[in-house]
Amino acid sequence: MTVYDTAAKLPPIDVVRDRSRALALLDSIIDGVYYDYSRRRGECEAASVRNGSGEEYDIVFTADGAFIRGVYHDSPMHNYTGGQLWPGLLEGLPPQFAPLVHEPTFCHEDGTLDATFVLWRCSGDDRWHAGEGIDLSPADDEETDPDGAWLLDILCDGGTEEYLEYASSVYDTELDKTVVEQILTLQPLTDEVIQALNPQKRLADLRERAAELDYPIAA
């Protein structure tokens, strides 16, 4: 599986945004630290993942569309190039996303984008795009999922099973599948929903965070 497979199955921008907001809220409820979402990035919004083991991604939502860059530090693509950008990842990138390639928080100290996969989608597009004609064959020799685009799988099919597995493996927490689905489908937040996931939290504790994420709260 590569960035091309992910581009084919990643849902539209608004769905990716909604799922990203919901994942950030879920992490706020269970005191997780992987998933975040910010509405304060200038005129943009941004979703991010940092798993603490060198895997990460950022999704920047702008008026022009969305830009994604991700890093899989164990990727042979990262190792072959000494951490520098693999050839072709940005081929065909629309000029409106070019400033994000130089965003300091996404780059090495020398200003080179730190990424093993990149995707983008303009507002009027009917699909996601990746660099044209990326030669992954040297990396494929060592790993069947060489670029780390699988990190976005949780955004592709609803995310419930992936989040349950994450909570179990990282926090040793078994969550109620139905309640997780409620959050991921943006059902209004209630005390009952929150306490089903974390008995130590109440709606009053999450009201401000929900407002930051523009997540609906029950009347």
Side-chain angles (χ1 to χ4, degrees):
M1 180 175 171
T2 70
V3 68
Y4 295 122
D5 302 299
T6 300
K9 66 179 184 177
L10 202 61
I13 293 173
D14 59 338
V15 177
V16 171
R17 180 189 287 112
D18 285 348
R19 288 179 182 168
S20 297
R21 292 191 291 122
L23 288 168
L25 182 66
L26 279 168
D27 255 22
S28 293
I29 294 172
I30 71 167
D31 293 323
V33 296
Y34 278 26
Y35 296 94
D36 196 13
Y37 193 95
S38 173
R39 296 171 58 84
R40 304 188 184 95
R41 190 186 179 88
E43 297 181 357
C44 303
E45 300 177 13
S48 65
V49 163
R50 301 287 186 274
N51 74 358
S53 298
E55 280 75 58
E56 62 188 53
Y57 69 69
D58 293 275
I59 308 173
V60 182
F61 303 98
T62 75
D64 296 311
F67 171 87
I68 303 175
R69 74 102 208 182
V71 180
Y72 173 33
H73 279 288
D74 288 332
S75 167
M77 295 169 63
H78 212 253
N79 297 333
Y80 285 156
T81 59
Q84 298 304 294
L85 195 64
W86 186 268
L89 289 191
L90 300 178
E91 187 173 347
L93 181 74
Q96 55 265 43
F97 297 127
L100 295 171
V101 173
H102 305 289
E103 165 63 40
T105 56
F106 302 162
C107 294
H108 297 285
E109 290 184 1
D110 67 358
T112 303
L113 182 68
D114 186 15
T116 55
F117 65 90
V118 177
L119 299 101
W120 60 86
R121 182 166 177 166
C122 294
S123 299
D125 287 350
D126 61 358
R127 62 188 179 90
W128 291 86
H129 303 271
E132 300 168 5
I134 304 169
D135 181 10
L136 296 169
S137 57
D140 282 333
D141 288 342
E142 294 194 8
E143 186 169 341
T144 55
D145 299 320
D147 59 13
W150 47 265
L151 288 167
L152 299 172
D153 282 354
I154 196 167
L155 300 173
C156 292
D157 61 1
T160 302
E161 294 298 334
E162 289 86 352
Y163 196 84
L164 292 172
E165 181 179 353
Y166 151 73
S168 176
S169 62
V170 177
Y171 303 109
D172 196 25
T173 299
E174 302 301 321
L175 300 179
D176 186 314
K177 179 178 179 179
T178 300
V179 178
V180 170
E181 286 180 340
Q182 286 181 276
I183 297 291
L184 288 173
T185 53
L186 275 67
Q187 299 303 304
L189 196 60
T190 66
D191 264 327
E192 291 75 18
V193 166
I194 293 168
Q195 293 190 313
L197 298 174
N198 184 349
Q200 306 304 314
K201 291 283 184 72
R202 299 188 64 85
L203 181 56
D205 302 317
L206 276 301
R207 191 175 292 276
E208 183 175 346
R209 180 58 171 152
E212 290 174 354
L213 295 169
D214 196 25
Y215 190 96
I217 298 174

